[in-house]
Amino acid sequence: MRIMEWAARRDHLRGVPRKMIFMAVGAFTKAVANLLNTTTVDNLETLLRLVRHRPPGVPLLTVSNHMSTLDDPVMWGFKGFPTSDAELGRWVLAAEDICFKNPVYSYCFRLGKCIPITRGGGIYQEHMNEALDRLTDGAWVHTFPEGKVYQEDAPIRRLKWGTASLIARAPVTPIVLPIVHRGFEKVMPESYMFGRRPPFPLCNKDIRIYIGEPITLDIPKLKQEAVEMSMSRDSSFSKCGWPKTMCGLDEGAQRCLYTTISDQIRGVMERLRSRSSLKSS
């Protein structure tokens, strides 16, 4: 069952509540990113072009590191970005236990185009299928493939398979755009006072956002390689009962495919992070 899916529909109350949420949240993010703090963006033109002018029916999937609970939506609050535009705004996977813990939260986050994800619920949980539906519609979806907040300045962690599964299962392969950011861990530190987050975003911090170039993924070739790889490996691993994909990949081949896609994305994100370290030093 999809939580309050009716509130996420474009035509819910003629779209008025969604527009109001995007306008209010957009004003908040602009204030945090530009008035209270200083935000610089590298390669903004690529993101704007893909958000506004990609080919019809081609979905966009942005992926980024996860430094704080404020990353989304504040990472879209920088100057020149249409943060308040509900039509252009991203869909984002959001933790159910944080963003959907009561009906009021659920309604507001649904209006903000958030898709609830149960951490530990697996890549075939119902709301992952909802995210797949949005990609099928040609929409923009954002994910945090590390799966949780990491505030240490460390290499990109091993990526969860959920993002890779969306890419592999989408009828039209999405444009995958990597983003790495720094500074949100200072705006909303996990342990600020008595081991808790601050009640409001902190100010006078330096936020830096580095947008990469689209990642080239030859999905048909990767699927074939995954089938060959799974046939050559020992199949004694513990199985989760995954369904076969539309193209007939069994669980072993899916694991190989999702690992390969995740490793490619992680490699690109880590190189972008390394370059950002040199620029910020």
Side-chain angles (χ1 to χ4, degrees):
M1 181 178 178
R2 298 182 180 181
I3 298 174
M4 283 195 186
E5 186 181 15
W6 50 269
R9 292 175 185 153
R10 181 181 183 184
D11 60 354
H12 169 58
L13 297 179
R14 299 184 178 180
V16 173
R18 176 186 285 184
K19 290 178 182 177
M20 292 176 64
I21 282 287
F22 267 81
M23 290 177 64
V25 173
F28 167 76
T29 63
K30 293 288 187 185
V32 173
N34 304 302
L35 297 179
L36 300 180
N37 299 282
T38 301
T39 301
T40 56
V41 184
D42 186 61
N43 197 25
L44 169 60
E45 299 78 13
T46 295
L47 177 62
L48 285 175
R49 173 173 53 82
L50 293 175
V51 167
R52 286 174 165 157
H53 303 302
R54 63 185 181 279
V58 177
L60 171 64
L61 182 67
T62 50
V63 294
S64 75
N65 57 327
H66 204 0
M67 298 295 283
S68 81
T69 54
L70 270 187
D71 292 355
D72 186 284
V74 177
M75 66 182 291
W76 315 116
F78 49 80
K79 294 177 182 177
F81 194 79
T83 312
S84 299
D85 191 322
E87 287 298 311
L88 291 179
R90 86 291 167 267
W91 291 87
V92 62
L93 307 190
E96 183 179 13
D97 59 318
I98 295 176
C99 302
F100 294 83
K101 42 173 135 177
N102 63 52
V104 174
Y105 276 27
S106 297
Y107 183 65
C108 291
F109 279 102
R110 274 307 207 170
L111 292 177
K113 298 171 76 171
C114 297
I115 300 173
I117 294 297
T118 302
R119 288 186 279 199
I123 62 175
Y124 286 106
Q125 60 182 281
E126 181 56 34
H127 287 107
M128 287 297 288
N129 293 332
E130 182 181 346
L132 182 61
D133 289 344
R134 300 291 77 77
L135 291 176
T136 302
D137 295 339
W140 168 25
V141 175
H142 181 75
T143 72
F144 298 100
E146 290 177 296
K148 62 180 292 187
V149 169
Y150 291 103
Q151 297 205 320
E152 302 84 2
D153 185 10
I156 301 296
R157 274 73 174 179
R158 185 185 73 83
L159 306 188
K160 306 296 185 181
W161 286 341
T163 296
S165 75
L166 291 176
I167 296 169
R169 295 163 60 201
V172 176
T173 301
I175 299 170
V176 181
L177 186 69
I179 301 173
V180 168
H181 50 74
R182 296 173 175 274
F184 287 113
E185 74 282 6
K186 298 175 183 176
V187 176
M188 184 57 68
E190 288 288 292
S191 297
Y192 177 68
M193 186 178 295
F194 306 113
R196 302 176 68 87
R197 304 183 193 103
F200 303 103
L202 303 184
C203 58
N204 297 321
K205 308 300 180 184
D206 184 23
I207 301 170
R208 301 190 179 189
I209 300 173
Y210 302 89
I211 300 167
E213 294 297 331
I215 301 173
T216 301
L217 294 167
D218 188 342
I219 298 301
K221 180 181 178 181
L222 292 177
K223 286 180 177 178
Q224 182 58 41
E225 291 175 350
V227 171
E228 296 170 357
M229 194 180 305
S230 69
M231 292 175 62
S232 65
R233 287 184 175 179
D234 180 10
S235 60
S236 62
F237 55 80
S238 141
K239 294 190 177 181
C240 302
W242 290 352
K244 280 194 173 184
T245 62
M246 293 295 290
C247 56
L249 295 183
D250 62 18
E251 186 170 330
Q254 290 178 62
R255 286 171 176 260
C256 293
L257 176 62
Y258 301 157
T259 299
T260 300
I261 294 174
S262 296
D263 287 347
Q264 286 192 26
I265 295 174
R266 179 183 175 277
V268 173
M269 291 178 68
E270 177 55 26
R271 288 192 291 275
L272 186 59
R273 190 196 72 86
S274 298
R275 289 200 297 271
S276 73
S277 297
L278 294 175
K279 291 181 179 180
S280 60
S281 61

